[in-house]
Amino acid sequence: MNQPTTQDVTLEIFRGDDDGGEMVEYTVEVQEGMVVLDAIHAVQAQHAGDLACRWNCKAGKCGSCSGEVNGHPKLMCMDRLDNYEAGETITVRPMKTFPIVKDITCDVSWNFERNAKIQTLQPRADTDWQFTQREADRVQEFRKCIECFLCQNVCHVLRDHDRKEEFIGPRFLVRLASLEMHPVDDADRLEQVKDEFGIGYCNITKCCTEACPEGITITDNAIIPMKERLVDRYYDPVLWLWRKLTGKD
Amino acid sequence: MDKYETHEYDVVVIGAGGAGLRAAIESSAAGVKTALVCKSLLGKAHTVMAEGGVAASLASADTRDNWETHYRDTIKGGKYLNQWRMAQLHAQESPDRVRELQEWGAVFDRTREGGINQRNFGGHTYPRLAHVGDRTGLEIIRTLQDRGVHQGIDVYMECTIRTILKDPDGHVSGCLGYWRESGRFVVFHAKSIVLATGGIGRCWDITSNSWEYTADGHALALWAGAELIDSEFVQFHPTGMVWPPSVKGTLITEGVRGEGGVLKNIDGERFMFDNIPEMFQGEYAETEEEATRWVEAVVADRRPDARRPPELLTRDVVARAIRREVRAGRGSPHGGVFLDIASKRSAEAIKRKLPSMYHQFKELANVDITTDPMEVGPTCHYTMGGVRVDPESQETRVPGMFAAGEVAGGMHGANRLGGNSLSDLLVFGKRAGEFAARHAADRADLTAINETEVEERAAAMLEPFGREGGENPYTVHEDLRNMMQDKVGIVRTEEDLVSAIEAIASLRTRAAGVKVGGNIQYNPGWHLALDLDNMLDISEAVARSALMRTESRGAHTREDFPDSDEQTWGQQNLVTCQTESGVEVQVESLPEMPPELKELIKD
Ligand SMILES: Cc1cc2nc3c(=O)[nH]c(=O)nc-3n(C[C@H](O)[C@H](O)[C@H](O)COP(=O)(O)OP(=O)(O)OC[C@H]3O[C@@H](n4cnc5c(N)ncnc54)[C@H](O)[C@@H]3O)c2cc1C
Ligand code: SF4
Ligand code: SF4
Ligand code: FES
């Protein structure tokens, strides 16, 4: 390999699979504005055609290119190389919370399986589908989710304690909130949120909110309101009944 | 060879974007066993990237709108070359398809009255695009995905289909592909197959398209004996990013102009006023003052008493005008022109209406679009050309094979209007699913798969591993992209097209010798080596069709034939098929539009 120049960047990329692997060093030339994903593509084209990496939109819209860059959860297509010191070696690893398929891609199928358990929108029979932008706003924030699963990756309940059976994780609490707060939805998923999806495991560390590239306020806007509703329901059944009958908060 | 895995279905849908998902939903709702196969994870298809909106004459933002006007706009935008029946069905059925999405959970932006809001877009007479900020595609794909999964469709992710298998009598019998993850082969038996694989943009260097757009479905269809139509029409979206180099081609939604953004050259001139083609004379504002009045009315949610700004002309027109400015030396520092919304809308409005554009420029280009103009230039974006289908059923000429979405051709003619793709996916995805299911239900049993064929095909796919000293597939791909950009781009000449066809022949020889390293597990180099075949054949279909059409029309511009030639070409489509001697193009007359529809497009 050539001697690195100031216009080069050196990456240490995980090569291997769930049974093990090693960090391998590659050096590629830097162009202005390049992001980590560009550097990975350059490595593929020049050094390692078989380096496995997911991507699609290259503009932060699809949530395919999640990884851990220098230990931080990132969309690699939005992470500019000039965020790092010149000459600094950049490490790229797959998300830790999921099994590794190969190199920096991991098996996120657990997320798809969990998602399938969530009941979809159940519109009220009499709805005329008219609602205001303000009502839409609340739900639209949650619907910005690009399913990058970075929040799932950083949540300690999943990452460190591997409670994948008991806890559905922030991504899907966001989805549940989007349904529960939908202006015409008529279903009640709260009991499931408590029992099957394990909202109680969340102790509001807010790591998920910090990791979210879409800036969704996962904890304050999605998780806490659902926790509050649960408290009201189980400690204040009268209030709950009132809400259920009137549809009002 | 190891024994490959097999699955049996009534209907197999290849592609999980809007078209594929909508088809699979319809097919499984009809009670037939349905599989959905895609190259990426579910929810990551191109549809997720769509920004501006979905076109449908809901008439909730402007009550004057109706399907007839949408039809007229679509045909005019397509320069009269659309298959009229597809354009009619599309205009008539898209409002229902959009409302249905809402019922399935999509939350579109609202009007003051609480209905679905709609925004202005190029070539649409009224505000017609239902949208969610600038992330409409995400909303649509997520809605369909959740709906489909709950309906019990079997989804096969990260699985690439390489060959359509047929019975001796020519009917489809299934398809062969490989798992990206393991590299192992898989066969799906099927009574009907729906192609919904999207586009071909990776044949060009500057493109808004992802790695998936390697022309797979176009090639699968061609190889299986179906025809392609309108291949010469490739849409270059006028506003891609031009700087920094790493994001060259990334899309900037037309929504920026729909929300009032204006195009300027280096001298600060709004050059679009000088670029209104004859067929649109009288329909667009002729002074800055009038254009400004229009924007002010739109911002204030009033019905405008002025004509729309010329920035909202159809994409082919705007892309050519930008190219002209740059060629004349009036471009921006990095070879584009300026798109300015900062001076037209408040920072707050920009962030609210165009959040992902704001984010994209801030993060990737260090540009704050609420204070500074963007630099933009054309980027290869969409293919109007595609698999020729029956307008009602979406069936190809191969019995049992259907196609819908971007991979299908005919709906958009010579140029697609913004927003008409998402609606196309929904309308024709549904139809393809419905008819594929019906076809499968009518057919007795699955027919046998030809195992020898499967084994031969599979062995051929593994060839790049065994080769000695071949080229790197990435190099061949890069050369193809540069060549297509150079010679089969926005403006074409006979000389360039002839030399492109020669270049494709020599690239084909090189592609046949590429070598890949590593093993069969999740190996992008190998996948690319295989995809070169698709891209080369479809590049040739584009180049040959472009050479044959000796006129300029819509997205197809010939420097040596700068005018439209109504006499020779006004009523002619080009149809491509594969014969013994290779890719062949023929001229065919457009089906005659019925008089009542002709009436609609009269000026
Ligand atoms: C950045 C951007 C913005 C856009 N904005 C708009 C807009 O605002 N409005 C609008 O109307 N249109 C817009 N478009 C166009 C529109 O998004 C696309 O034309 C449309 O989404 C295509 O949908 P599709 O269902 O045909 O294909 P896609 O959504 O691309 O899906 C193709 C599917 O096929 C699969 N596939 C491909 N090949 C194979 C194979 N060999 N084996 C198995 N699976 C395969 C892929 O994995 C994928 O799942 C935009 C396009 C881009 C790129
Ligand atoms: S706030 Fe809750 S869901 Fe989010 S990371 Fe912390 S524990 Fe996990
Ligand atoms: S909530 Fe945010 S971090 Fe979590 S998956 Fe969605 S976009 Fe990613
Ligand atoms: S590639 Fe789509 S988010 Fe990075």
Side-chain angles (χ1 to χ4, degrees), chain B residues 439-585:
Chain B
H439 183 93
D442 287 347
R443 214 171 142 75
D445 291 322
L446 286 165
T447 45
I449 294 285
N450 180 341
E451 295 200 13
T452 325
E453 185 188 355
V454 169
E455 279 169 25
E456 278 170 13
R457 299 282 172 139
M461 280 193 251
L462 293 173
E463 277 171 14
F465 285 106
R467 295 195 183 117
E468 287 295 322
E471 254 187 291
N472 180 347
Y474 291 92
T475 316
V476 179
H477 186 211
E478 194 181 324
D479 290 352
L480 170 68
R481 295 177 69 181
N482 287 327
M483 187 283 292
M484 289 296 284
Q485 187 75 33
D486 201 30
K487 297 188 194 301
V488 196
I490 309 183
V491 176
R492 302 150 174 187
T493 64
E494 177 176 334
E495 195 189 333
D496 280 348
L497 292 166
V498 169
S499 107
I501 294 166
E502 285 165 10
I504 290 167
S506 79
L507 284 161
R508 204 174 263 133
T509 315
R510 289 170 59 192
V514 294
K515 177 183 168 58
V516 300
N519 61 28
I520 60 171
Q521 285 160 14
Y522 217 122
N523 187 336
W526 177 41
H527 306 157
L528 180 62
L530 299 176
D531 291 341
L532 288 173
D533 294 345
N534 327 335
M535 287 188 273
L536 285 162
D537 280 1
I538 301 310
S539 295
E540 184 172 343
V542 175
R544 283 198 186 277
S545 305
L547 179 62
M548 195 171 287
R549 185 172 286 278
T550 48
E551 66 156 354
S552 293
R553 180 179 298 270
H556 170 68
T557 306
R558 286 282 298 260
E559 202 160 67
D560 39 358
F561 298 94
D563 300 317
S564 293
D565 177 351
E566 290 309 324
Q567 202 64 31
T568 319
W569 290 111
Q571 294 292 312
Q572 307 296 325
N573 291 118
L574 293 177
V575 176
T576 308
C577 62
Q578 204 187 33
T579 64
E580 303 265 287
S581 53
V583 173
E584 228 175 76
V585 185

Side-chain angles (χ1 to χ4, degrees), chain A residues 17 31-35 38 41 44-64 77-80 82-83 101-103 105-108 112 115-121 123 128-137 139-149 171 175 178-179 182-184 213-214, chain B residues 40-46 48-51 102-117 131-135 138-139 142-143 145-147 149-150 157-158 180-181 202 208-212 243-247 250-251 352 356-357 359-366 472 474-475 517-519 521-526:
Chain A
D17 55 29
Q31 275 190 319
E32 191 170 341
M34 234 162 101
V35 293
D38 291 314
H41 285 165
Q44 284 178 326
Q46 294 158 26
H47 304 297
D50 63 339
L51 170 64
C53 165
R54 288 196 184 104
W55 70 283
N56 282 78
C57 68
K58 217 170 154 305
K61 296 186 168 72
C62 73
S64 300
C77 71
M78 296 302 281
D79 193 17
R80 286 175 57 138
D82 53 20
N83 291 340
V101 168
K102 182 180 159 195
D103 304 335
T105 47
C106 37
D107 176 0
V108 290
F112 290 97
N115 188 31
K117 299 196 188 301
I118 299 175
Q119 191 184 21
T120 51
L121 183 77
D128 62 357
W129 294 100
Q130 302 285 309
F131 51 88
T132 63
Q133 185 58 47
R134 273 190 60 177
E135 289 172 282
D137 278 342
V139 181
Q140 283 181 337
E141 179 191 2
F142 305 142
R143 295 188 62 90
K144 283 196 304 195
C145 170
I146 57 175
E147 297 204 328
C148 65
F149 304 129
R171 160 33 189 155
R175 174 154 142 74
S178 83
L179 290 159
H182 191 292
V184 308
E214 283 294 295
Chain B
S40 290
L41 297 175
L42 189 58
K44 311 296 183 194
H46 244 74
V48 80
M49 296 170 222
E51 296 163 358
Q102 168 162 274
E103 285 159 28
W104 294 350
V107 182
F108 291 103
D109 285 357
R110 314 313 292 176
T111 61
R112 284 209 186 133
E113 295 72 36
I116 295 176
N117 199 3
H131 60 276
V132 185
D134 53 7
R135 55 163 192 86
L138 171 65
E139 188 69 19
R142 203 66 84 228
T143 303
Q145 177 186 338
D146 291 336
R147 173 88 186 178
V149 165
H150 275 265
M157 300 187 214
E158 300 203 303
R180 289 165 53 76
E181 187 176 322
R202 297 303 283 182
S208 65
N209 292 174
S210 85
W211 72 271
E212 291 200 315
W243 185 259
S246 86
V247 290
T250 300
L251 194 78
R352 159 156 200 96
S356 82
M357 291 302 107
H359 189 64
Q360 181 174 315
F361 271 88
K362 192 113 191 153
E363 298 286 316
L364 297 174
N366 292 339
N472 180 347
Y474 291 92
T475 316
N519 61 28
Q521 285 160 14
Y522 217 122
N523 187 336
W526 177 41

